Amino acid sequence: MSESDSIDLKRHLAEVGRSLGERESAHRGDLEAAWKRAESLHQAVSEGLDAFHAAASEAGAPHLQIDLSPVRTDDKHLRSVEFDVERGRAKAIVTVKSRGDVTLVGPFRKGKTEGPCKTFPFEAERDIQTALCGFLQEFLEEAATP
């Protein structure tokens, strides 16, 4: 194959990137709002887990450590963001979608079917906070059960 017959991969992928970027740019504002919402929820969960860790340690169980992932682009949906709460095989996911929904997934065991899911519109702040408390309590109890 001669040099003139070869495909310029760098140029080709730049064209694909430009095309996909133009398509996805229409969702930029909604996605930025989802990131802000997810970061706010992540901060609240982080502070709650700090209190959980301190209380568990004070009660004599410092080994009850829960991991909180950073906020990232959703694993399944490009226009959503998520973060995980994990311990061992127990996992729960908070997903924030650019269309204006917050979905609480789980808790569930890794390797098993995800779910159950509860979805709330952004403006349902009180419902989200109430559900998040129960959601995390259920996760923590499951994660701390041998």
Side-chain angles (χ1 to χ4, degrees), residues 26-102:
H27 304 282
R28 183 177 177 179
D30 291 338
L31 191 53
E32 287 174 353
W35 272 95
K36 286 180 185 176
R37 185 70 158 141
E39 288 169 347
S40 173
L41 289 169
H42 186 274
Q43 181 64 34
V45 171
S46 178
E47 290 171 4
L49 288 176
D50 287 347
F52 170 82
H53 290 136
S57 184
E58 185 177 305
H63 58 282
L64 290 178
Q65 292 296 307
I66 306 299
D67 295 322
L68 178 62
S69 76
V71 176
R72 65 181 184 284
T73 300
D74 185 286
D75 292 341
K76 293 180 182 177
H77 305 285
L78 184 61
R79 297 178 190 147
S80 300
V81 295
E82 69 182 7
F83 61 90
D84 307 328
V85 183
E86 298 182 76
R87 199 220 60 80
R89 291 182 49 220
K91 184 173 183 176
I93 304 169
V94 177
T95 302
V96 182
K97 300 173 183 171
S98 62
R99 67 178 182 221
D101 294 343
V102 174

Side-chain angles (χ1 to χ4, degrees), residues 7 16 19 21 27 44 70 86 94-95 97 121 133 140 142:
I7 295 174
V16 171
S19 175
H27 304 282
E86 298 182 76
V94 177
T95 302
K97 300 173 183 171
C133 286
L140 292 168
E142 188 173 310

Side-chain angles (χ1 to χ4, degrees), residues 6-15:
S6 68
I7 295 174
D8 183 348
L9 184 60
K10 184 176 175 181
R11 191 183 91 243
H12 179 73
L13 292 183
E15 289 171 9

